[in-house]
Amino acid sequence: AKENAKNCYALYTPEMHEKSLKFLDMEKDLRNALSNKEFILYYQPLINLKTGKIIGLEALIRWLHPKKGMIAPNEFIPFAEGSSAIIDIGEWVIHEACRQLKQWYDMGLPQVYIAINLSARQLRHQDITDKIIHIVNEMGIDGGNLLFEITENVAMHDLRQSIHTLNMLKSVNMRIALDDFGTGYSSLNYLKKLPIDMIKIDKSFVQDITKHHDEKFIAKTIIDLAHNMDVIVTAEGIETENQYKILREYDCDLGQGYLFSKPLPAEEIEELLLSGKG
Ligand code: C2E
Ligand code: CA
Ligand code: CA
Ligand code: CA
């Protein structure tokens, strides 16, 4: 039964009961994967839409499973988030991203920042800021080269605590982005309370801008709103030249998407940065 469960957990939904045997199997598999070093970070460039240069990289985790091959984060992160495994995986991500940043710095590559996704459970975890600051000091990197991405719903879970944690990170020069903007439950009032530097417009709104109805203006509205609040805007999921052109006209600051580059392993990012795109 155990082998069966192992072979089909990608089919289970995150709503699955936490204490079920299969879930425990998944948690165990995730912890094994961590100690066997089966996780890897890919990096997707963030482009300054005005200059076309790479100014940042989003770290995106993948699981290189010895039997199943590469597993996408949507197939295991939701499970990890249901247990304390996300704390350890999340810590590995921060450590690995910082190690990579230091290595690129030592190689003399053009300086870019790295964006790291934080889960709700991680943001709520007591030691999160101490841990991050410890890793940054250990690696000898500049906090200004890190940006943390949280989703609206993550921060809303415990607003006061989230604001406190985010302010601690900002006090050591790290920046905060609100990810998947527009897909959560945020109100404008709530947006004003969060100490954020950047909004990432969800790809669903980017896809809408080439359509012929009112939804095409949602992206423009978000961009103007953010700029009025002195917040930078990144558009996610840019796939076509036409979307790129419209977003530039809308005065969007940064962009990310397959048009520029899909997420790549570190070696391919190095080539990109060396080729003068950085
Ligand atoms: P996300 O943070 O919204 O990341 C953007 C996702 O959009 C990535 O999927 C990326 O590969 C994909 N994408 C980029 N450009 C395009 C495009 O032009 N078109 C389309 N259709 N998609 C594009 P990925 O790498 O599969 O990651 C999925 C999600 O998994 C992420 O969504 C994030 O929520 C989560 N995730 C990934 N890495 C981590 C991590 O280290 N920690 C945590 N907590 N979550 C992570
Ligand atoms: Ca993200
Ligand atoms: Ca996103
Ligand atoms: Ca997302």
Side-chain angles (χ1 to χ4, degrees):
K2 187 165 164 269
E3 277 310 306
N4 271 339
K6 273 196 147 184
N7 289 331
C8 59
Y9 51 49
L11 298 173
Y12 302 150
T13 64
E15 287 79 36
M16 199 169 68
H17 197 274
E18 286 207 7
K19 293 206 171 64
S20 86
L21 196 62
K22 286 158 192 159
F23 183 86
L24 289 176
D25 245 25
M26 181 58 156
E27 185 178 352
K28 208 173 104 230
D29 285 356
L30 288 169
R31 292 193 179 281
N32 282 339
L34 201 54
S35 52
N36 295 339
K37 300 186 178 3
E38 289 168 14
F39 294 115
I40 182 172
L41 291 184
Y42 272 42
Y43 299 90
Q44 186 177 35
L46 284 109
I47 309 294
N48 178 323
L49 293 182
K50 294 186 180 90
T51 65
K53 295 260 184 200
I54 300 173
I55 68 144
L57 299 166
E58 180 173 1
L60 295 158
I61 196 171
R62 274 96 183 84
W63 181 359
L64 274 180
H65 195 283
K67 293 204 186 81
K68 299 189 183 79
M70 190 143 89
I71 304 179
N74 287 336
E75 294 195 44
F76 65 90
I77 288 291
F79 290 92
E81 283 172 341
S83 78
S84 64
I86 193 63
I87 301 297
D88 298 314
I89 294 172
E91 195 178 330
W92 176 84
V93 170
I94 297 165
H95 200 275
E96 174 59 15
C98 291
R99 188 201 60 75
Q100 188 61 76
L101 203 56
K102 173 71 168 136
Q103 187 184 327
W104 283 336
Y105 178 80
D106 289 343
M107 288 167 72
L109 288 179
Q111 283 230 40
V112 292
Y113 70 84
I114 293 189
I116 296 171
N117 293 285
L118 281 188
S119 297
R121 211 170 176 128
Q122 267 183 293
L123 191 70
R124 265 184 280 140
H125 200 250
Q126 279 298 311
D127 316 323
I128 182 75
T129 42
D130 286 350
K131 276 219 178 104
I132 291 171
I133 291 167
H134 178 81
I135 292 171
V136 164
N137 289 339
E138 182 192 348
M139 294 290 161
I141 60 165
D142 182 350
N145 288 327
L146 290 185
L147 180 147
F148 289 95
E149 301 192 357
I150 58 163
T151 61
E152 304 163 88
N153 304 344
V154 161
M156 199 152 64
H157 194 91
D158 183 346
L159 192 56
R160 195 196 296 251
Q161 172 64 32
S162 300
I163 291 172
H164 178 73
T165 302
L166 300 179
N167 278 330
M168 296 270 284
L169 297 176
K170 284 179 65 77
S171 72
V172 287
N173 294 327
M174 295 168 192
R175 287 173 297 163
I176 312 297
L178 206 50
D179 203 356
D180 302 345
F181 188 78
T183 62
Y185 308 106
S186 65
S187 71
L188 294 181
N189 182 38
Y190 159 74
L191 182 63
K192 223 169 58 186
K193 285 188 179 135
L194 283 175
I196 52 164
D197 305 280
M198 181 192 286
I199 278 173
K200 298 187 80 174
I201 304 180
D202 190 69
K203 43 182 171 276
S204 56
F205 301 113
V206 171
Q207 274 149 22
D208 282 341
I209 59 176
T210 48
K211 290 181 183 157
H212 292 284
H213 25 77
D214 293 346
E215 283 117 78
K216 68 189 273 188
F217 299 114
I218 293 177
K220 175 64 177 153
T221 305
I222 297 174
I223 292 166
D224 290 344
L225 169 79
H227 285 165
N228 283 333
M229 296 171 60
D230 273 328
V231 167
I232 290 175
V233 188
T234 298
E236 294 191 302
I238 303 177
E239 294 180 353
T240 68
E241 284 289 349
N242 198 23
Q243 290 167 345
Y244 182 19
K245 189 177 137 265
I246 295 169
L247 285 161
R248 246 182 343 213
E249 283 165 11
Y250 284 180
D251 209 21
C252 187
D253 306 289
L254 310 180
Q256 184 178 359
Y258 298 159
L259 176 67
F260 308 110
S261 170
K262 58 184 193 204
L264 297 171
E267 312 83 65
E268 289 178 50
I269 289 292
E270 279 162 31
E271 286 168 29
L272 258 187
L273 291 176
L274 286 170
S275 72
K277 295 223 174 82

